[in-house]
Amino acid sequence: MTKRLLAPLLVSLVTIPALAQGPESLNGLDAYVAKSMAQWQVPGLAIAVVKDGKVVLARGYGVRELGKPDKVDADTLFGIASNTKAFTAAALGTLVSAGKLDWDARVVDHVAAFRLDSPYVTQSITLRDLLTHRSGYCDPGAMWYTSDDNDAIERLRFQKPEYGFRAHFCYNNMMYLTASRFIPAVTGEGWDTYVAEHLFKPLAMNRTTTTDAELAASSNAAAPHGLIDSKPEPISRYWPHNMDIDTAVGGINSSANDMSHWLQMLLANGKYNDATVVDAAIIKAMETSQIVIPADDEIGREVRAWMPGAGFYTYGLGFFVQDYAGHILVWHAGDIDGMASALVLIPDAQLGIVVMTNMDHANARFGVVNWLLQSSLGVSRHDVGNDLHVAMRNDQQRADAANNKLADTRKARSKPSLALSEYVGKYHDNFNGDALVSIANGGLFVRFGNPDFSGVMQHWHDNTFRVTWRKRFYGNDYATFDVDAFGKPSQLRFESLALQFARAEAANADTP
């Protein structure tokens, strides 16, 4: 939805700290980070590296927010997005090792609201299936933005599967949200409370937060950024209504220092400061391949571009697992509005790396991660970050060409076929919720069940309108009303969002 044409950022925005004493393999890191941040227009970045049980690097670069002087340091909080998933898996693992839960426990026995389109899958799917993305149902995408996800799990019964059960890897955030509900079902405690007590506290991750209020109270947090009209700008956090609901999926905020403790524990088979935080058998289960990731779909191509050169790509419990230069590589990516992170582990080399940035989908993270892997393991140097940047620019050029082609199809002097008041009303989809169309300032206005996702509808031609979202970072879309034989709008379709809503009722032409 959002244009991401990434031109170089002025190098003056990148603050390079003095090089600390460290392994020779890190020589040249600062120069590469500066290059990569400029290339991807990243305002701020933080790195932690653990080797042989010790933190050899925990460092910040750049600024927390463009236009402000505050520098990123090793305590600056970043959203780690889907790197949260391993914390959810580990938390559930503590219940497994305590004998209170089984990886193969049925979902319906623990999450009362859970139902899928298939009765067979509903009754058969297990916690392990949720954590390995093998349900056959793919991520709902726009549903995160268009619906009130207080009832997101209940809406899953309206989604259609794309693959057979346990037959194909298909990444699905909603399955991790469902998995997190096992914790209150078994313990009576909320996910946030349980993870803080059983992971953050014993790991001395004292700055790490999981709630909106905690992050808002922090005096050292990176602001999210995205490209608006091809320029990097601060954007609002991914709190479209209440991120607290979705924290177990991708809502942890942490720092380089705190994440280094997480890396140390994972590399020490669950121990931190000689105390067992997570049982070694659970760490092994998390890092054990559960399902193959095919090469012929979007996620398969993406992971192969991010971490290239492997002979196999699989998923464990909260981690991707592949080979790398004769080693097993365990890793994950994290993306949430305005934040991008990457975490990698080479267990047999006792090496762990995390990179966090405050720029949306900035693959500087994978450039830095691969640079560090190559340096630490003596692998031939290849600039993966540059490859990803070239691919991104090519993708953007194709998208721009498609948009220009679409603009050429606009019918000159076309007018809406109906009075604007005829389009006003509620349009509904069981899975994605409501799209509410009203008149505001003399034109049409649309908002979804989540009022933060709303925009002005400018007539394009016939019954198609160009939507400019209120949050400019989300870009634009095209919405078309289908008119029935009675000359009344019957459906509302959004092109980029790939959503379709049926007319539920007419409404007053007032602004919602």
Side-chain angles (χ1 to χ4, degrees):
M1 291 167 52
T2 306
K3 290 186 177 181
R4 297 190 172 101
L5 181 58
L6 302 178
L9 180 67
L10 293 175
V11 176
S12 61
L13 292 177
V14 180
T15 301
I16 304 300
L19 184 64
Q21 288 296 110
E24 291 184 3
S25 63
L26 298 183
N27 290 342
L29 172 63
D30 288 348
Y32 181 79
V33 170
K35 166 189 170 293
S36 193
M37 290 177 69
Q39 184 178 45
W40 287 93
Q41 302 193 84
V42 174
L45 181 148
I47 303 172
V49 179
V50 170
K51 184 73 173 75
D52 298 325
K54 297 180 180 179
V55 179
V56 297
L57 180 72
R59 185 179 301 171
Y61 299 80
V63 295
R64 301 178 209 163
E65 182 174 347
L66 286 176
K68 296 183 178 180
D70 299 321
K71 302 292 191 294
V72 172
D73 59 33
D75 288 320
T76 300
L77 295 178
F78 289 80
I80 67 169
S82 283
N83 274 302
T84 298
K85 289 179 171 63
F87 286 86
T88 295
L92 290 162
T94 64
L95 298 175
V96 172
S97 61
K100 298 178 181 180
L101 187 61
D102 190 277
W103 291 124
D104 297 307
R106 294 197 315 160
V107 179
V108 291
D109 293 336
H110 293 83
V111 186
F114 182 80
R115 295 290 184 277
L116 294 173
D117 174 72
S118 165
Y120 168 72
V121 178
T122 299
Q123 293 301 313
S124 303
I125 194 169
T126 66
L127 176 60
R128 189 189 302 272
D129 296 319
L130 299 180
L131 296 176
T132 55
H133 303 292
R134 63 186 193 189
S135 67
Y137 294 79
C138 297
D139 194 80
M143 193 263 268
W144 289 101
Y145 295 88
T146 60
S147 66
D148 175 0
D149 65 3
N150 281 293
D151 63 352
I153 290 177
E154 293 181 3
R155 291 179 184 271
L156 292 179
R157 65 195 66 193
F158 300 114
Q159 186 180 14
K160 300 297 181 183
E162 295 188 39
Y163 300 101
F165 180 43
R166 296 176 181 160
H168 196 283
F169 175 89
C170 199
Y171 197 86
N172 191 330
N173 285 291
M174 286 301 304
M175 296 306 165
Y176 264 78
L177 179 62
T178 304
S180 73
R181 300 295 170 86
F182 276 72
I183 290 177
V186 173
T187 69
E189 296 181 63
W191 180 92
D192 299 82
T193 301
Y194 191 87
V195 169
E197 184 65 26
H198 292 268
L199 295 178
F200 298 160
K201 185 176 179 180
L203 290 173
M205 297 178 70
N206 299 322
R207 287 188 47 74
T208 300
T209 70
T210 61
T211 68
D212 297 353
E214 289 174 321
L215 184 59
S218 173
S219 61
N220 185 0
H225 294 75
L227 292 179
I228 299 175
D229 298 329
S230 303
K231 297 179 181 180
E233 292 186 19
I235 62 173
S236 58
R237 297 190 186 279
Y238 179 72
W239 295 340
H241 24 109
N242 185 357
M243 185 60 204
D244 292 347
I245 297 168
D246 309 321
T247 306
V249 177
I252 288 177
N253 299 279
S254 193
S255 66
N257 277 334
D258 276 13
M259 288 298 289
S260 71
H261 303 172
W262 174 242
L263 294 175
Q264 287 176 306
M265 184 274 291
L266 292 170
L267 291 168
N269 292 317
K271 288 190 174 183
Y272 182 75
N273 285 343
D274 295 324
T276 297
V277 179
V278 181
D279 191 83
I282 300 304
I283 301 298
K284 182 178 180 180
M286 292 171 63
E287 298 176 355
T288 298
S289 300
Q290 302 285 325
I291 187 168
V292 173
I293 300 173
D296 59 354
D297 61 11
E298 183 177 0
I299 187 66
R301 291 188 293 271
E302 196 165 50
V303 299
R304 284 161 172 79
W306 286 343
M307 299 302 302
F312 70 88
Y313 291 85
T314 65
Y315 201 84
L317 304 176
F319 283 125
F320 292 94
V321 183
Q322 66 176 80
D323 62 308
Y324 183 92
H327 303 272
I328 296 298
L329 173 66
V330 178
W331 67 280
H332 214 283
D335 288 285
I336 201 165
D337 289 3
M339 298 277 176
S341 64
L343 179 150
V344 301
L345 302 164
I346 304 282
D348 68 355
Q350 283 293 292
L351 175 66
I353 303 163
V354 65
V355 177
M356 300 172 289
T357 77
N358 60 350
M359 170 55 79
D360 190 74
H361 282 80
N363 281 333
R365 54 182 164 166
F366 285 110
V368 174
V369 158
N370 278 278
W371 190 98
L372 286 164
L373 285 173
Q374 292 162 13
S375 298
S376 300
L377 300 176
V379 176
S380 299
R381 183 74 68 199
H382 180 77
D383 193 344
V384 173
N386 191 65
D387 290 348
L388 292 168
H389 193 261
V390 170
M392 180 277 302
R393 292 292 296 268
N394 290 339
D395 287 344
Q396 188 59 58
Q397 288 173 4
R398 285 190 289 269
D400 290 343
N403 286 333
N404 292 336
K405 185 177 180 179
L406 178 61
D408 291 340
T409 68
R410 188 178 189 183
K411 298 177 182 178
R413 295 180 294 279
S414 174
K415 295 181 179 180
S417 62
L418 303 173
L420 293 185
S421 60
E422 292 292 315
Y423 299 105
V424 169
K426 180 166 74 173
Y427 298 77
H428 179 75
D429 176 75
N430 286 333
F431 187 49
N432 289 293
D434 296 329
L436 305 176
V437 178
S438 62
I439 290 181
N441 299 319
L444 293 184
F445 183 87
V446 63
R447 71 174 175 88
F448 295 106
N450 158 26
D452 281 349
F453 205 85
S454 58
V456 174
M457 305 178 75
Q458 180 184 16
H459 182 249
W460 183 253
H461 61 208
D462 298 335
N463 291 307
T464 296
F465 292 76
R466 187 172 188 261
V467 183
T468 301
W469 300 117
R470 174 182 286 171
K471 292 187 175 181
R472 292 168 54 221
F473 168 67
Y474 294 146
N476 306 302
D477 203 347
Y478 291 88
T480 299
F481 294 89
D482 294 336
V483 177
D484 63 22
F486 298 95
K488 300 294 183 181
S490 59
Q491 293 189 99
L492 175 57
R493 296 178 287 111
F494 291 84
E495 181 71 23
S496 296
L497 290 174
L499 296 176
Q500 183 170 296
F501 300 83
R503 179 67 170 262
E505 61 186 46
N508 296 325
D510 297 327
T511 303

